[in-house]
Amino acid sequence: MNSRVSNFIAKEGLLNKDSLHIVALSGGADSVALLLILKQLGYRIEAAHCNFHLRGEESDRDEAFACALCKQQNIPFHRVHFDTNEYAALHKVSIEMAARELRYRYFEQLRQDLGADTICVAHHRDDAVETLLMNLMNGTGIHGLTGIRPKNGHVVRPLLCLSRSEIEEYLHSIDQSYVIDSTNATDDVLRNKIRLHLIPVMQQILLKSSENIAKTASYIKEVETVYDDAIQKDLSNLITTLHPGTSADPHEAYAVRIADLQALPSPECFLFEWLRTYDFNSAQILQIAENLHTPSGKTFNSASHVLYFDRDTLVVASDYQPASPIKIPEEGVYQFQGNVKFKVAISEDVYILKSDNYATIDKEKVEFPLTIRIIQQGDRFIPYGMNGSKLVSDYLTDKKISLWARRSQMVVTDARGEILWLVGHRIDHRFRITTSTKSVLKIELL
């Protein structure tokens, strides 16, 4: 047993004999076996126990057992108590998720405090099989079919090479007791349903079904390496950064040409790997993949981002909340939506500045206060040099301004709500400077 675990640790590069390692010790068979095996293999270890106060006296029993075992084995012991129910209610998460967040946060803080290298948890092969089946049922991508990884950051799993029955047989052979979590016998969560009902039926059909699934997961892991390499190359080659997101302007935007996407062997795989990082779910991604010929203007929303079909391009941009309008009662410098500044000045010298960052307007035709705001649906103006009015949205379409860029397009209006300047583009023809102009209103985008 020790030799198998030692070989697995070496193969996966999990532990260093010269470093300190924390063992997550619940008191159950898996964590007890992990503690004893790592000690016998000569690793420097300390144990950490979490009391979630979810099972009454049973929770306190587990803590007392873990403490006594570490005292017997002369292993330093750390413990922490959580009000898990209160945390779950406060953060609006399930009890299972609350316990997970609490324990891993504690383990990581303890690791840093002790200067430890890793956090060793006792997941085994059956846990990995259960995880794979859960992911398969939930419609996962290829990454969910590799089960549980031996290493994830500072968290390592040295027992993934063993089954639950092998662990229990090992403890029985050395006459080592452990505690049993009574909630594992209830099928109130999906994992327990799989453990208690699905896997026993599978093993009746084929005795080595769990072992074979674990082998399949290892094969998929190899395929995953090739897949990830190909996907990363496509992501690097095809994605264009429209706006990277900065401290001054954190909104980000990225684009992919639809024609390039359709030329790939699997556009759907590319979309899945690209869009899942922006919180789009698998159902949305499938719908996007099926609608690549959709007309420009269609959008999909995730919790944090928006995807636009913008002519021949897909654009993903961070969710954007338009800034509130600001009033300009007189000359001066005004700040809009954080880092954008406008300078408003009036001059008796009549002149025209030809620059996208300036608007020179006949002052006598303007009624203060002015307003700076983001464009709204239905906005119209008469572009300089034209006679009839035009929808701002149509003007921007004609200028091939992307949908994601339009959401931050600014206008300056007067007290009557008339658009004086489509910022960065054109003034309204009605407010142009003529031979009869006596004073100029200059608006500068700084």
Side-chain angles (χ1 to χ4, degrees), residues 18 219 330 341 364 443:
D18 297 326
Y219 302 151
E330 58 188 6
K341 291 183 179 180
E364 302 305 318
I443 309 173

Side-chain angles (χ1 to χ4, degrees), residues 77 100 108 219 293-294 367 388 396 430:
F77 180 72
R100 174 183 173 80
E108 175 56 22
Y219 302 151
H293 297 287
T294 195
E367 184 177 336
L396 295 174
R430 292 166 294 180

Side-chain angles (χ1 to χ4, degrees), residues 34 88 116-117 127 156 166 168 176 178 203-204 208 214 221 235 237 249 259 303 335 349 355-356 370 378:
L34 176 61
D117 190 26
D127 292 320
V156 298
E166 288 174 326
E168 292 174 351
Q176 174 60 57
Y178 53 88
Q203 290 176 332
Q204 287 178 10
K208 292 188 175 182
K221 184 179 177 183
L235 291 172
N237 293 334
D249 182 5
Q335 190 162 318
D349 295 328
S355 169
D356 290 341
L370 308 183

Side-chain angles (χ1 to χ4, degrees), residues 306-377:
V306 182
L307 180 139
Y308 301 90
F309 279 80
D310 194 3
R311 294 186 294 276
D312 62 347
T313 305
L314 289 183
V315 177
V316 172
S318 53
D319 198 11
Y320 180 80
Q321 297 299 323
S324 299
I326 63 169
K327 295 289 185 183
I328 300 178
E330 58 188 6
E331 295 178 88
V333 175
Y334 297 85
Q335 190 162 318
F336 180 66
Q337 61 179 5
N339 62 328
V340 179
K341 291 183 179 180
F342 287 85
K343 182 179 180 180
V344 179
I346 298 172
S347 174
E348 300 300 324
D349 295 328
V350 178
Y351 58 90
I352 298 175
L353 290 171
K354 294 184 178 180
S355 169
D356 290 341
N357 290 334
Y358 290 90
T360 45
I361 294 167
D362 190 326
K363 162 65 174 59
E364 302 305 318
K365 298 175 183 177
V366 175
E367 184 177 336
F368 275 80
L370 308 183
T371 298
I372 302 173
R373 64 170 173 82
I374 301 299
I375 59 171
Q376 301 170 353
Q377 187 174 3

Side-chain angles (χ1 to χ4, degrees), residues 86-103:
E86 181 179 347
Y87 180 93
L90 181 64
H91 294 274
K92 295 180 174 56
V93 296
S94 67
I95 293 296
E96 185 179 24
M97 180 57 68
R100 174 183 173 80
E101 291 178 2
L102 287 168
R103 69 173 172 265

Side-chain angles (χ1 to χ4, degrees), residues 81 87 121 223 274 295 396:
H81 290 241
Y87 180 93
V121 294
V223 173
W274 181 37
L396 295 174

